[in-house]
Amino acid sequence: MRFSFLLTAGLAAAIPLDEQIFGRPVDLGSKLHGEERRTARGDPEGNGFHSGYFYSYWSDGRGSVDYRNQANGTYKATWTNVGNWVGGKGWNPGGPKVVQYNGTWSGRNVNSYLALYGWTKNALIEYYIVESYGSYNPSSGTSRLGTVNSDGSDYDIYRTQRVNQPSIVGRATFYQFWSVRRNHRVGGTITIANHFAAWEKSNLKLGTHDYMILATEGYGSSGSSAITVKEVGVEGVPYPNEPDSRRDNN
């Protein structure tokens, strides 16, 4: 989510693992002190419900992001010379759903990725099922814990830790769980339960589900995406009675 910073492999190699997680610097000074704030375009940052889906959108304020919620499970985004941004649509709470997504993503050659992304509480866990990544491999700098074959590809499993960093409950120390797809794609079915079961076998235990989105993320890059997501076997939107709403990010 909003605390996920991708770096080039060369820069990541110069940073000790306890100071970066999958290429993410722990210094959030530019966010906290409002440096290089961009001119807002598109929908305002925050999280809530739109057109029957949950959404979340955050940036660190550097560069320009034009994020726009569209009808049902669709969102579009264009980013230019950003520091870090992440956003998308999905569910709150998440869980072991079978989801289907399609669309476009131009991040193949820049620092960006496309992932099923979520959080749990008790235990506090941030997790990613990475479908595609660009110029930086998010598994760099850590050890593989296992592999799961799902939806036409092997995914490599990793765990990392964030110490005293921002989270959905404020600053905290928490683990991140990762499944990183070997055969990149932009569109298909994600059988989330397969990843949850594989993480459990690797002694990676989730807590109570909070939100879960099909996210686009960019760091130090420019690009665009247009993604539509839905749950397989479910007609209509997941939250038909939720009015459009927004609240500020933590």
Side-chain angles (χ1 to χ4, degrees), residues 33 61 96 115 125 132 141 173 183 210-211 248:
H33 295 97
I125 302 293
S132 289
T173 295
N183 299 328
D210 201 86
Y211 76 80
D248 292 336

Side-chain angles (χ1 to χ4, degrees), residues 148-170:
V148 57
N149 185 276
S150 185
D151 305 305
S153 178
D154 285 336
Y155 291 75
D156 294 319
I157 297 170
Y158 305 89
R159 184 188 73 172
T160 54
Q161 187 178 45
R162 299 278 280 166
V163 177
N164 191 31
Q165 294 301 309
S167 76
I168 58 171
V169 297

Side-chain angles (χ1 to χ4, degrees), residues 73-223:
T74 299
Y75 69 90
K76 296 181 179 180
T78 301
W79 66 98
T80 305
N81 298 324
V82 296
N84 180 217
W85 90 275
V86 61
K89 276 190 163 184
W91 300 266
N92 191 356
K97 303 177 184 296
V98 179
V99 305
Q100 188 174 64
Y101 75 100
N102 62 76
T104 61
W105 170 75
S106 71
R108 193 176 310 276
N109 297 312
V110 300
N111 271 357
S112 175
Y113 56 71
L114 190 66
L116 193 287
Y117 168 84
W119 285 88
T120 71
K121 296 178 180 176
N122 301 318
L124 184 63
I125 302 293
E126 183 184 35
Y127 64 84
Y128 288 83
I129 301 171
V130 178
E131 293 285 283
S132 289
Y133 61 84
S135 58
Y136 181 80
N137 183 340
S139 66
S140 300
T142 190
S143 298
R144 183 168 59 89
L145 299 179
T147 301
V148 57
N149 185 276
S150 185
D151 305 305
S153 178
D154 285 336
Y155 291 75
D156 294 319
I157 297 170
Y158 305 89
R159 184 188 73 172
T160 54
Q161 187 178 45
R162 299 278 280 166
V163 177
N164 191 31
Q165 294 301 309
S167 76
I168 58 171
V169 297
R171 282 192 169 266
T173 295
F174 55 90
Y175 286 112
Q176 299 167 309
F177 299 169
W178 299 78
S179 288
V180 180
R181 187 178 175 96
R182 293 181 185 176
N183 299 328
H184 298 186
R185 64 178 180 173
V186 183
T189 298
I190 306 174
T191 307
I192 300 170
N194 292 345
H195 298 272
F196 290 175
W199 294 345
E200 180 82 15
K201 289 180 180 178
S202 296
N203 201 33
L204 306 182
K205 301 182 186 299
L206 294 167
T208 301
H209 286 281
D210 201 86
Y211 76 80
M212 177 177 75
I213 61 175
L214 202 297
T216 302
E217 181 157 8
Y219 178 79
S221 64
S222 302

